[in-house]
Amino acid sequence: MKPQNEKRNRSRCECAQAKLTEEFCQLLNAKGTGRWRWKGTTTDLLEAAYRVYLSNSVRNRHGCPCTFRHIADEICKKLQRTLPNHPTSYVYRAQHRKGVRQESFFTRYCWIWEHEDPEQPLMHFVAAEKSPRL
């Protein structure tokens, strides 16, 4: 691979990471619980949460970076998922897949961002709950 292509790919990856972090934080900060549902697997959700955690973008009210466990707990509540007992093990297994045709969440997110929906690729994995009519 040429150095230019490598630079371009790294730049695209950084842009996609920033977009994922932005969308993820918007979901975390959205008002109300139970309005959205995660359509993907719990592993995908935790993979996304871990990438956001690594960016140090989510901070508590004292300005300190939130722990992965806290971020995972908050997003699972928001998207109606049960937080597994050991969420880090889900991420570890996802990152060390071998011989599995399923690509990582981030690879699929990047593909959607580039080919399908450059505005809100994360929303392909989130469904809005219909409000009951009164």
Side-chain angles (χ1 to χ4, degrees):
M1 185 180 276
K2 294 180 181 178
Q4 269 186 336
N5 287 343
E6 213 172 282
K7 246 185 205 178
R8 192 177 311 135
N9 286 342
R10 190 176 308 122
S11 174
R12 265 196 248 152
C13 187
E14 288 170 0
C15 288
Q17 175 63 44
K19 183 68 176 169
L20 172 63
T21 301
E22 176 189 332
E23 281 189 278
F24 197 91
C25 289
Q26 285 174 354
L27 267 176
L28 278 175
N29 293 326
K31 300 288 183 214
T33 309
R35 292 179 50 200
W36 299 278
R37 184 178 47 80
W38 184 255
K39 295 190 294 187
T41 65
T42 301
T43 301
D44 287 346
L45 180 58
L46 294 174
E47 238 184 302
Y50 191 73
R51 288 194 78 92
V52 171
Y53 160 72
L54 290 177
S55 73
N56 282 329
S57 298
V58 180
R59 302 206 170 237
N60 64 18
R61 60 190 164 116
H62 304 293
C64 299
C66 291
T67 63
F68 169 64
R69 179 94 183 180
H70 177 76
I71 295 169
D73 184 44
E74 289 298 313
I75 201 67
C76 282
K77 283 179 196 171
K78 182 78 63 176
L79 298 177
Q80 303 181 38
R81 283 291 173 135
T82 304
L83 180 68
N85 289 333
H86 304 286
T88 319
S89 66
Y90 278 65
V91 175
Y92 179 81
R93 280 195 314 253
Q95 290 175 341
H96 295 88
R97 293 178 186 143
K98 290 184 181 172
V100 179
R101 292 184 65 109
Q102 180 77 358
E103 294 192 24
S104 74
F105 169 79
F106 190 66
T107 303
R108 290 178 279 133
Y109 176 87
C110 289
W111 190 89
I112 291 169
W113 179 59
E114 290 177 351
H115 297 95
E116 296 280 324
D117 185 2
E119 294 300 316
Q120 291 187 312
L122 188 62
M123 295 311 284
H124 281 259
F125 300 93
V126 177
E129 291 289 313
K130 293 181 182 175
S131 58
R133 293 183 183 228
L134 299 175

